[in-house]
Amino acid sequence: MTAPGILTKRASYVAGRWVDGDQALAVENPADETLVCELSATPLEEIRRAVAEARRSFDGGEWANLSAKERAQVLSVFIDYLESVREPFIATMVSEAGQPRMFAEMAQFSAGIA
């Protein structure tokens, strides 16, 4: 089972590859206790590797060498992508948090985009 239209894998994406966890985590809708999806718990050593790789990339990788204008362009593409998956993204937020749609849409999604 996956959340409505957003999750396609149970694995975590760590430093350029998909990593399967050693334990399943159930995500329940707190409003009605229905199962939204099951995720794979990322092993601690993979979390440490992800943090170290993110730090390395931020400090000396491609992102560190981009100008402010180039970074803004990347973020603009990311925002465009989020807008393209607006409806399934909001449905996912409603399901996993058990919150009203209006709150998910306005306070979380739209405010986050802004």
Side-chain angles (χ1 to χ4, degrees):
M1 169 180 268
T2 61
I6 294 294
L7 298 175
T8 58
K9 292 185 179 282
R10 285 183 50 183
S12 299
Y13 195 70
V14 176
R17 66 181 175 86
W18 289 101
V19 176
D20 287 319
D22 50 5
Q23 181 181 19
L25 297 174
V27 177
E28 293 181 354
N29 181 329
D32 61 13
E33 298 182 345
T34 58
L35 181 65
V36 174
C37 66
E38 285 188 349
L39 301 175
S40 180
T42 305
L44 184 57
E45 64 272 9
E46 291 295 338
I47 293 170
R48 288 184 177 130
R49 191 169 71 82
V51 170
E53 182 61 23
R55 180 82 263 172
R56 186 206 59 75
S57 179
F58 184 80
D59 291 341
E62 187 174 334
W63 185 258
N65 296 321
L66 294 178
S67 68
K69 182 178 180 180
E70 291 168 319
R71 289 181 188 191
Q73 289 170 334
V74 170
L75 293 175
S76 180
V77 169
F78 180 60
I79 288 170
D80 289 345
Y81 170 74
L82 290 175
E83 287 285 4
S84 77
V85 295
R86 177 185 190 90
E87 290 307 314
F89 201 87
I90 290 170
T92 299
M93 288 189 286
V94 168
S95 294
E96 62 89 23
Q99 64 187 330
R101 180 179 169 80
M102 182 183 287
F103 182 81
E105 190 168 5
M106 302 305 292
Q108 287 191 282
F109 187 84
S110 294
I113 294 292

